[in-house]
Amino acid sequence: MNTIKPSEFTTQFAADVFEGLTSHPKSLSSKYFYDKKGDEIFQEIMHLPEYYLTGKEFDILQENKSALAEAFASPSGFDLIELGAGDGKKTKILLKHFTEKKLDFTFVPVDISHNVLQQLASDLQKEIPELKVTPRQGMYKKVLEQLAEYQTRKKVILFLGSNIGNLPQEEALNFLKKISSSMAQDDLFFMGVDQKKNPETILAAYNDTQGVTAEFNRNLLRRINRELGANFDPDAFIHWPFYDPETGMAKSYLVSKKEQTVQINSLNLEVHFAAWESIHTEISQKYDDTSISWLAREAGLSVSESFSDTENCFKNYIFKK
Ligand code: AVI
């Protein structure tokens, strides 16, 4: 019998793991994939031959950097705010180009991790010494609210990598509404979105032959072992991604290979798995122009321009109010 009340958990992670593993069907949020080990595995994923998203977006930015400079530039300058800046690899294409073209702008990377921001700021200082960088540490929502209050010149908000796809539709819409309410009339929002395409291509991206994505999912069980004193055997779970071309949703599961019971000491919890019972871990929603225009409209935005690769595999949209 569990004796800890959910309200007594000391971290959100603990509370969410408790909630997810005592629900039917079981689930864990993919937002917890990204501990130190998970960040490393995701870097590896971005270099996998099957994981086309990163390379396609990189090419789109490279190909369209001049058009983007034109769309973003403003006579009184602008702030380029990137949500979830990470290592800035793709953004550097724009930062270098805008700096070479002598655009008047400040780069404002926003990330939850202080370390990520420090690392990025010091890399940029070395690579593009003329660039003005003002990092902001915190949750997107809070930082967007602050920026909306204090900003005096044009804002261009970047959200790359199809991160929107990891949010269920209602959360995606709420997220876009937040963005929209933080935007003034001339501000822009620039977002990268993976597109519906051949189901085999999508499935392969989440089911790579080297098993890196499987380890990315299993790392969440390892994280629970490390941080919450659990005894998951990650190898007793198979990684099971599938893609539904009707809804555009790629979904991933960890499926228990046998009947088993797992102890999670910090939660004072025993979790029972029937053989072949699943834990839902991630959604990676794929969109098309129609669903993106609908989302934008619902959030009070409209698409002003879009850029894609030759096969329409991935798209980057500019939204305005
Ligand atoms: C970060 N995000 C957009 C990735 C995706 O494609 O959904 C995370 C990922 N999951 C498995 N592979 C990559």
Side-chain angles (χ1 to χ4, degrees), residues 75-120:
S76 49
F78 66 100
D79 290 315
L80 188 65
I81 300 158
E82 179 164 22
L83 305 179
D87 67 359
K89 214 180 222 153
K90 284 176 288 191
T91 318
K92 278 179 199 164
I93 301 169
L94 301 183
L95 299 176
K96 281 187 185 146
H97 182 72
F98 295 174
T99 306
E100 272 162 31
K101 293 287 160 200
K102 305 226 172 324
L103 260 54
D104 173 13
F105 77 107
T106 298
F107 179 48
V108 185
V110 180
D111 208 287
I112 188 82
S113 158
H114 188 66
N115 289 341
V116 162
L117 287 175
Q118 263 189 333
Q119 184 61 48
L120 178 62

Side-chain angles (χ1 to χ4, degrees), residues 55-74:
K56 292 287 180 196
E57 189 172 41
F58 193 94
D59 294 346
I60 293 169
L61 299 183
Q62 184 64 39
E63 194 63 30
N64 297 288
K65 58 192 180 188
S66 301
L68 291 169
E70 214 171 289
F72 295 173
S74 154

